[in-house]
Amino acid sequence: MERVIPDFEHLSQDRLRALVATGIALNSELSLERVLERVVESAAALTGARQALLELAAGAGGESGRLVGFGIDPSSREAADEILHGPGTLSEPILIRGKPFAHLYLAAKRNDQFFTAEDEELLRALTTQAAVAIEMSERVARDALRRVVAAQELERRRLSRELHDETAQTLTSVLLGLQSIVEAADAERAVAEAERLRELVTQALQDVRRLAVELRPKALDDFGLLPALKRLATGFSEQTGIRVEVESFLDDKRLPSEIETALYRIVQESLTNVVKHARASSVSVLVTRKSGSVIAVIEDDGRGFDAGAGRDEGLGLMGMEERVALLDGRLQIESSEGAGTTIVAEVPLR
Ligand SMILES: Nc1ncnc2c1ncn2[C@@H]1O[C@H](COP(=O)(O)OP(=O)(O)OP(=O)(O)O)[C@@H](O)[C@H]1O
Ligand SMILES: [Mg+2]
């Protein structure tokens, strides 16, 4: 039988342990960027190289030539060239489905030693593990994207249904009403009908405005997260009678737009959940900044639910999780029956 598991018996216990630990660490990373950073770090640590450089190959999703470095500034072409083409460098490709995804280069072994055959073997074992972790991270990214797209599609279907069932119906009534004005027996009836139509048009206008805001709140683009959240909260309170308090400890600087959008959507979905499920009388929304990240906390005083139980129906909470995961953040849901619900979304600022 073909031997697929390499023979590591002669490796020292320490190096074997380090190799296993590296494999576990690599597989716990979900974003490709972090996997690549871990690979260069671990390659250097395992072999005693002071410098490691990873160069993405042509097959790596259009990022051909991109460099990730450890112990070297990859933006310095000179330093990079020295490793890529210099003598005394150890190198190994990372193959995915038989095609090169990247090349890993190691240089400047500690104490001016040369790399050994054992270093080479360790590097090969590492690149095999790296390939698995990279494939996994690509699959995770694809799945996340698919779920976000599915959630968007659902949202569009809901908006399309509202447009069709409400706005289009109202406009149809207006059209019929206009006809009855034309055919009205006397001026008095025509005026009464016109009054009725005016109300219908006002209603349709309100629907269209509300749908436009739901699609993409203009305040979010024009004024930023906090004003948009305040507006969302005001509209929500007016419609539901549930009190919402929005508080922020951010300065006036705008956050990156993808973070603003994600946090806005998370608060929006949380509020929707509050009306749908919580039976709460008040909600507090807090946005604050803590050591390089932004945190949004949405807390209601409703009936709560079992946050630990499996969820297979709703898309809301899952969509929130996906949004923060795509920004390398995390979502915490604290709730128990009778004790209200707290959603904490934390996203790092990069
Ligand atoms: N604030 C809350 N208070 C009480 N229960 C909640 C709250 N938020 C969520 N839940 C519970 O968690 C479940 C999952 O929420 P989720 O937002 O994922 O789905 P949904 O609201 O039922 O459907 P969708 O969001 O897809 O329209 C809800 O069905 C509800 O039982
Ligand atoms: Mg929901």
Side-chain angles (χ1 to χ4, degrees), residues 269 273-274 276-278 300 304-305 311 314-318 341:
E269 170 59 22
N273 278 348
V274 168
K276 275 169 67 180
H277 313 295
D300 71 58
F305 66 107
R311 305 187 293 266
L315 281 174
L317 294 176
M318 198 171 76
T341 301

Side-chain angles (χ1 to χ4, degrees), residues 154 269-270 272-279 300 302-306 311 313-320 333 335 340-343:
L154 206 73
E269 170 59 22
S270 300
T272 307
N273 278 348
V274 168
V275 231
K276 275 169 67 180
H277 313 295
R279 298 196 201 138
D300 71 58
R303 59 181 184 153
F305 66 107
D306 181 1
R311 305 187 293 266
E313 295 267 296
L315 281 174
L317 294 176
M318 198 171 76
M320 292 189 203
I333 302 165
S335 189
T341 301
T342 305
I343 308 273

Side-chain angles (χ1 to χ4, degrees), residues 8 11 13-24 46 121-123 125-126 129:
F8 290 133
L11 287 182
Q13 286 290 315
D14 283 351
R15 296 192 100 179
L16 251 177
R17 221 171 278 138
L19 184 61
V20 171
T22 303
I24 293 169
L46 281 172
E121 206 175 316
L122 271 172
L123 185 59
L126 173 71
Q129 290 178 338

